[in-house]
Amino acid sequence: MNSTTSLPPAAADRDDLTIAEKQEKKNVGPVPPMEDYVDGGWEGWLTVLGGWCSQITSIGQGNAFGVYEDFYKENYLSNESSSTIAWIGSVQLAMLFGMGLIAGPLFDKGHFRILMISSSALYILCNFLLSITKPHQFYQIFLSQGIGMGLAMGLTYAPTFAVIGHHFQGRRRAVAMGLASTGSSIGGIIHPIMLNNLINRGGDAFGTGGTSSTFGRAIRINAGMNAALLVLAAVLMREKKGVVAGGAGRGKVKPNIGGFLTEPKYLLVSLGCVLGSFGFFFPAVYVQLFSTTKGISPTFSFYTLSILNAGSTFGRILPGLLADRFGSLNILLPATYGLGATTLGYLGVKSLAADAVVTAIFGFFSGGFISLMVPTVASLAKHPGEIGARIGITSAFCAISCLTGPPINGALLTGKFLWNRPVIFSGVCALSGGTSLLVARLWRTTRGTGGSPSPREKSVEDFEVQETFEGATMPKLGADGTSYADLK
C-alpha cells in the first residue's frame, strides 16, 4: 500500500476536486495508510474483558434488585411499603447513571485509574457493610446499598464505556461495547440465583426460609465475588495511549460541554434514552414480585430475573452486530419500540408460560436498548476527547428515570397490587422514548435541505474534516459514527 491512501470511490470518482480543495484549505494533509490505525488491538480487547467484569458488579447487581425488593417486603423491611423500599434500588441506579456527570469529564481529563481504584474500594466496603445491617433499619440499608454502592457504581459506569470507545473508533465499537455490556446480563443471571438460594436456605419462598442470618451470609459471599471481579477489572482495563489526558495526541481539543445542550439530535437521543429507561426499570425491579403475586410457582418466580437477563444477553450481542452494520441509532430505535410493546405485554400475563415468554422477549429488547444507548451517544462525538463527557451527561439525564421510575411504579401499584397501572405507565413511556429517537433519526436525514444528503454531500461531509490521532491524520469521528476505520 502506498504511504498515502486515496479517497474511497464514493469521493474519488467525482468530476470535481471539492474534497481535495477542502483538505488543502484546512491544511489537514493526506489520509494515512490503513495499517497505521488499529481498531481495538490486544489492549483493547483486554479492556473489553475488564469492562465486562465491571458490568457484572454494577448494572448486573442493579438488575438483581428484584430479589432484594421481594425479600425486604416479605421479611427484612416488612414494616415499609413497596414504594419506600423501591427508593433503595432507584437511588442506587440513579447514582449509577447520575454520577456520569462528574465521572465522564474526569475521565476525559485522564483520571481513569483514580476513578477505578477509588470506586472499587468504596463498592467493596459498602457491599460488606450491607451484610451487617439490622432488620427493619431502613436507613442502614439505604446508606450502604442505595447511596454507597450506587456512588461507587456511578464512578465507573461512564468511564468504563468511554475507555472502550477510545480503543474502538471504527466499525467494531458497537459490538465491543455490546460485549462488555453483556456482563450486566450475566450478573443479572448470577446474582439472583446466588442470592435467592443463599438467602432462602430451607424454604420455598421468602418469608419462610430467609432470615437475617442467611441474608448476612449471602451478602458476604456475594461481596467476595464482587471484590474479585473489581480487582480483575482494574488490572485488565487500560487507557488508549495518545487519546486520554485532556486530549493528548489531538492538539488538546477540549469537549464543548455547553455545545452538547444546543444540539437538537443529541438532546432528542438523550430524551429517548430517559423515557425508554422508565420502561426498562419496571420489570427489572418488580418482575419477581409480579410473578409471586400472580400465583405463579415460587420456584419459578425465583428465576424470572435470570430468565429476563438471559434474554438480555442475546439482546446485547445481536443488536450490537447489526449496529456495526447499519448504525447504532438505526437499531436502538426498533429496540426501544420493542421494549415498550413487550412491557405492555405484561397486561396479558395469566400463566407461567406467558410470564416466561414475555419476560424472555422483554429481556432481549431491554438488552438491545441498554447496550446501544452508549454507542449511539458516543457516535455523536465530534472527536474522541468528548466521548466521556457526552456519555456522562446522557447517563445523568437517565438518572431521572432511575430515581423516579421505581417509586412511581410502587405508588401506582399500591398495597393491592394493581399491576395494570405501572405496566401501562412504563410501556407508554418507553414507546414515547422510541418516538423521540425516531425524530432524532429523521433530523439526521432531513437537516438543512429537507431531505437526505446527496452522495456528493455525504462524501464531503465524511471526509472534509480530519483530526490527528497518535501523530496520524484521519477523518474525524462524526455524528454518524464515521471514523478512519470506515475507509475499509
Side-chain angles (χ1 to χ4, degrees):
M1 181 179 291
N2 297 329
S3 60
T4 301
T5 302
S6 61
L7 294 171
D13 291 341
R14 303 296 169 192
D15 56 1
D16 55 64
L17 299 177
T18 302
I19 297 173
E21 291 171 352
K22 286 182 177 288
Q23 286 180 337
E24 182 178 357
K25 182 177 180 180
K26 293 179 178 291
N27 191 29
V28 295
V31 177
M34 284 296 299
E35 55 267 27
D36 286 352
Y37 178 74
V38 179
D39 192 26
W42 178 247
E43 283 193 355
W45 289 111
L46 286 179
T47 298
V48 171
L49 179 59
W52 182 84
C53 294
S54 177
Q55 289 300 297
I56 292 178
T57 66
S58 57
I59 292 189
Q61 179 72 237
N63 284 344
F65 186 75
V67 176
Y68 294 99
E69 172 81 21
D70 199 349
F71 176 66
Y72 291 160
K73 179 59 181 174
E74 296 295 329
N75 187 313
Y76 217 56
L77 293 175
S78 57
N79 58 318
E80 304 289 350
S81 67
S82 296
S83 180
T84 300
I85 294 171
W87 277 105
I88 300 171
S90 64
V91 168
Q92 183 185 71
L93 291 170
M95 295 287 284
L96 187 154
F97 288 103
M99 286 303 297
L101 193 61
I102 298 175
L106 285 176
F107 169 83
D108 286 332
K109 293 180 180 179
H111 301 307
F112 173 72
R113 186 59 50 192
I114 295 175
L115 287 169
M116 281 298 300
I117 294 175
S118 60
S119 63
S120 296
L122 178 62
Y123 184 103
I124 294 169
L125 173 63
C126 293
N127 204 174
F128 278 104
L129 285 176
L130 178 61
S131 70
I132 60 174
T133 56
K134 302 299 181 182
H136 309 302
Q137 299 298 315
F138 177 84
Y139 77 96
Q140 295 181 1
I141 299 172
F142 181 79
L143 289 175
S144 59
Q145 186 175 13
I147 300 294
M149 292 178 66
L151 177 62
M153 293 175 183
L155 290 175
T156 58
Y157 178 74
T160 293
F161 285 107
V163 75
I164 293 173
H166 281 182
H167 283 280
F168 296 86
Q169 299 184 40
R171 295 185 181 276
R172 296 176 180 175
R173 167 176 281 171
V175 72
M177 290 184 174
L179 288 172
S181 71
T182 60
S184 60
S185 298
I186 298 300
I189 296 172
I190 295 174
H191 289 302
I193 293 176
M194 172 185 286
L195 292 170
N196 271 323
N197 284 280
L198 290 175
I199 293 174
N200 187 54
R201 298 294 292 270
D204 293 327
F206 283 135
T208 62
T211 65
S212 59
S213 61
T214 59
F215 175 76
R217 179 175 180 272
I219 298 302
R220 284 189 290 274
I221 294 174
N222 185 251
M225 180 189 73
N226 291 333
L229 288 168
L230 287 171
V231 170
L232 183 59
V235 171
L236 292 175
M237 300 185 76
R238 290 286 184 272
E239 304 96 326
K240 178 74 172 178
K241 295 180 180 179
V243 177
V244 296
R250 299 185 310 276
K252 295 187 180 298
V253 179
K254 295 182 179 180
N256 180 14
I257 296 178
F260 302 167
L261 303 180
T262 63
E263 296 179 19
K265 184 177 179 182
Y266 177 75
L267 293 176
L268 286 167
V269 169
S270 296
L271 177 61
C273 293
V274 171
L275 292 173
S277 295
F278 277 106
F280 169 78
F281 288 113
F282 164 69
V285 174
Y286 288 102
V287 67
Q288 183 165 309
L289 184 61
F290 174 86
S291 299
T292 302
T293 58
K294 287 291 184 176
I296 297 173
S297 166
T299 302
F300 172 81
S301 298
F302 280 6
Y303 293 95
T304 50
L305 278 171
S306 296
I307 292 173
L308 187 155
N309 286 291
S312 178
T313 302
F314 293 101
R316 293 170 192 264
I317 296 175
L318 180 58
L321 294 172
L322 293 175
D324 282 334
R325 177 71 174 83
F326 301 103
S328 297
L329 179 57
N330 291 333
I331 307 301
L332 177 62
L333 178 58
T336 307
Y337 275 122
L339 181 74
T342 50
T343 299
L344 294 175
Y346 280 100
L347 294 172
V349 170
K350 305 294 183 183
S351 64
L352 185 152
D355 194 10
V357 170
V358 172
T359 299
I361 296 175
F362 174 87
F364 178 83
F365 284 118
S366 68
F369 172 76
I370 289 295
S371 66
L372 291 176
M373 281 198 305
V374 172
T376 299
V377 172
S379 72
L380 302 178
K382 293 179 174 60
H383 58 82
E386 64 180 38
I387 292 177
R390 284 186 181 264
I391 294 175
I393 291 173
T394 301
S395 296
F397 288 154
C398 289
I400 297 172
S401 52
C402 300
L403 181 63
T404 61
I408 289 175
N409 286 324
L412 292 173
L413 180 61
T414 73
K416 298 180 181 179
F417 299 112
L418 304 176
W419 290 105
N420 288 357
R421 295 162 65 178
V423 166
I424 293 173
F425 168 77
S426 300
V428 170
C429 283
L431 292 175
S432 300
T435 301
S436 180
L437 294 173
L438 177 61
V439 175
R441 179 65 182 86
L442 295 175
W443 189 285
R444 171 184 175 183
T445 58
T446 61
R447 65 188 187 280
T449 62
S452 300
S454 66
R456 179 180 177 278
E457 291 171 333
K458 188 68 172 66
S459 297
V460 172
E461 178 184 340
D462 285 350
F463 295 99
E464 68 175 359
V465 181
Q466 303 190 354
E467 64 177 341
T468 300
F469 179 77
E470 292 188 335
T473 303
M474 63 186 65
K476 74 169 184 176
L477 178 64
D480 60 353
T482 301
S483 72
Y484 182 56
D486 290 335
L487 296 182
K488 292 179 181 179

